[in-house]
Amino acid sequence: MTVLPRTDAPAPADTDAFEALFRHAPCGYLTAGDDGRITRVNDTFLAWAGYRREDLLGTAFGRLLPVGDRILWSTHSAPQLLSTGGVSEVVVEVVGADRTRRPALVSATRVPARGGADAELRIIVFAAPERRAHERELIAALHRLEESEDRRSAAAEEARRRALLDALTGLPNRAGAVARLTGALEVPGGPVAVLVVDLDHFHAVNESLGRAAGDELLLAVARRLGDATRDGAVVARLSADEFAVVDRCDGTDAARSLAERLLDVLAEPVVVAGLELVTSASIGVAVADPGAASAERVLHDADVAVQRAKARGRQRVEVHDPTRTDAGVDRLRLLGELRRGIAAGELRLHHQPLVRLADGGLCGVEALVRWQHPVRGLLPPSEFIELAERSGLVRELGAWVLEAAVEQAAAWARDAEMPDVEVSVNLSARQLTDPALVGTVTAALARHGLDPRLLVLEVTETALVNDPDVAAAALAALKGLGIGIAVDDFGTGYASLTYLQQFPVDELKIDRSFVSGLGTSDGDSAIVTTCVQLAHAVGVRAVAEGVETQAQRDALRDMGCDVGQGYLFSRPVDADALREWVVGRRA
C-alpha cells in the first residue's frame, strides 16, 4: 500500500491534486487533528460505513473500531503515526452505523503544521476488494505530485515495487508471484514448479492469541520457507495464511520431494507470544514447462491441488495431474447447464408408488425429479441434486417440482381411475428455512385447485435437527394448511421420541439402508422394528423405503409396518405409466 508522501511546502497544484483525490478516491478518506478527532470525511467512507457526515465530525477515529482494535490503534498505530509520520496497512475492523463489523486496511500519513495551519492526519480506509483500485489511484496521485521528471519516475517505481510486495513479510504478494512466475515461464530451461502452502487452522491463532501473534507466526513461516529453499527460488505470500514457492525442478517427483521437506520444516515447533506452537500445512503442487502454460493457469492448478489436500485431511501434499478433469470446472459447467435446463423445461417428474402392506392397495406416490439433459440423457437426482443444494439453486429446482407435482395431483384427482392419491414432494433444508415457503405452497394449491390433504411434504431428519425452532414453525404453518408431513430417511439422523413430539409429523419413512438388511442382518432388523414402534408410539404412519424382495415385504408386514415403497412394487415412472400400473393392478 503506498502512502501519500510528506512534503513541507506543497505547491497549489499539490493541494488541488490532494483535494481531487480526497473527493474522488475509490476508498474511504478521512482527515483528523493530532488528537485523532475527525475533521473531514469523504462520501465513499460514508456510503461504505453507513454514517452521516454529522455523526463523525469531531469524533475520535478510534471510536469507529471495536475495543480490541481500538486498543491496538491507540497504543501502537497512533503513537507511531505521530513519531514517524505514517502507518501502513493496519488490519482492523470498522464498526458501521448498523453495528456490523467491516474488515478493512488502514494507512495514514501525518502532514506537519505549516503556514499557520495545524498538523493534519490523512487516513485511508479501504476493504480488500478496493485495494487494487486504490493503489492505482495513489500511483496516479504520486505522478501528479512530483515536481520533476526524476522524482516522478522514482515515485512511480517505488509504487510499482510496493504494489508487488506483501507489507507484513516483505515477500512478493500474489501479483508479485505472478510476475516472477511469468518471467520464469518465459525463460527456456527445466520445468517450473509452483507450491502453494496453506497453513492449517491459522485462524485459530488469530482468534485465541490475537492478530499480533498471528503476524509473528506468519513472519516465522516466511523465514522458514526462505531458509528451506535454494537461492534463486521465489517465496511469496499470496493471502492471509497462504504462501507460494516458485522454483525450477527436475520434474514432478522432485517438486513433491521439496513439498514434503517443507511440510517437515513447518512442523517444527515455533514460539509465538510465549507459547510453543506446532504448525502444519497443506501443500498443492503444479509443474509446467516454459511456454506450456500461463502463470495464472499454473498458479490456479496449484490452488486446486491444495484445496484437494485440505479436503483429504490436511497436512499432506497433492500434485496437480494435468490429465485429470478439473472437478470444480465440471461442477460450474453442470450448474450453469442445470440453471438453463430449468428455464428451458428440461426437468421431468417420475412417480414411485407407496403401497399398503396389509392389502397391497395404492395409497400414494412420491414425486421424483429427473433431468432430461440434452447430451447426457435422462439423469437421476443423484447426478445434480447435491450440486443444486450446495449452490442455492435447489430453491428454484424445488419450486418447479412442487408446482409440477401439485398440477399432476390435481389432474389425478379428476381422474376416476386415480382417486385420493396422495403425492409426496421432497423439501430441501434450504426450502424449509425459506420464509416464502408457506406462501408458495398455498399459491400452488389454489392455482390448481388441489385438496391440501392430497399433498405430503417430506423433510429429512437432518433438516429438522439443524434448526429445530425454524423447522417446527414452518411445519406447523404447513400443517395448518391441511398438508401431510413426512420425515424422510428416518434412522440416519439424531431424532428421538421426545424430539419428534415437537413436530407435527404424519409419517416416518424408514431409510432404505436399513430395509435392505432385513433377513440378513439382525442389527438392521432390530433398527427397522424400533423405527416402526417409534412411529406408532407417536401416532404416525411407518413407511419403509427401498423394498425390493418378497422377504423384505413379509418381514415389514410382520413388524406392523404400514406402507412400503420400492422396486418390488414399481420403479419410478412417468404419469402415464403410473396410471397404467394402477389400472393393471385392478384388472
Side-chain angles (χ1 to χ4, degrees), residues 132-266:
R132 192 169 298 278
H134 183 61
E135 289 176 341
R136 288 196 297 265
E137 184 63 19
L138 284 176
I139 292 172
L142 284 172
H143 278 290
R144 295 191 297 269
L145 288 170
E146 299 302 335
E147 296 178 349
S148 69
E149 186 62 34
D150 289 343
R151 294 182 63 191
R152 282 199 299 271
S153 298
E157 181 59 31
E158 174 65 11
R160 283 193 293 270
R161 187 187 70 82
R162 291 176 63 88
L164 298 177
L165 293 180
D166 172 58
L168 174 66
T169 63
L171 298 174
N173 56 18
R174 192 176 191 92
V178 169
R180 303 287 288 274
L181 178 56
T182 298
L185 291 171
E186 290 175 348
V187 177
V192 178
V194 177
L195 286 65
V196 172
V197 182
D198 191 298
L199 300 183
D200 296 331
H201 310 298
F202 171 75
H203 67 279
V205 177
N206 270 345
E207 291 175 358
S208 58
L209 301 181
R211 287 195 180 90
D215 288 350
E216 188 177 345
L217 176 59
L218 292 172
L219 289 169
V221 169
R223 286 193 297 270
R224 289 188 178 188
L225 292 175
D227 293 342
T229 52
R230 68 180 183 85
D231 291 342
V234 176
V235 178
R237 183 185 176 205
L238 302 181
S239 62
D241 59 353
E242 196 172 64
F243 292 80
V245 175
V246 179
D247 197 6
R248 293 203 180 273
C249 65
D250 291 332
T252 300
D253 290 342
R256 178 185 285 277
S257 296
L258 172 60
E260 290 173 346
R261 181 157 56 84
L262 293 182
L263 282 186
D264 293 338
V265 168
L266 294 177

Side-chain angles (χ1 to χ4, degrees), residues 538-561:
V538 295
V540 303
R541 187 167 64 181
V543 180
E545 300 180 293
V547 182
E548 297 185 355
T549 68
Q550 296 282 359
Q552 291 170 355
R553 182 198 63 183
D554 294 343
L556 289 165
R557 188 166 51 196
D558 293 343
M559 293 175 186
C561 186

Side-chain angles (χ1 to χ4, degrees), residues 6 24 159 186 265 299 317 341 365 389 437 445 448 526 528 531:
R6 298 172 58 184
H24 303 299
E186 290 175 348
V265 168
L299 191 57
V317 174
V365 299
E389 288 178 342
L437 174 62
L445 292 171
H448 299 290
V528 174
C531 290

Side-chain angles (χ1 to χ4, degrees), residues 39-58:
T39 56
R40 286 188 294 174
V41 57
N42 71 352
D43 292 342
T44 304
F45 183 86
L46 296 175
W48 177 69
Y51 289 105
R52 299 173 302 171
R53 183 170 277 102
E54 55 266 29
D55 296 334
L56 300 183
L57 296 181

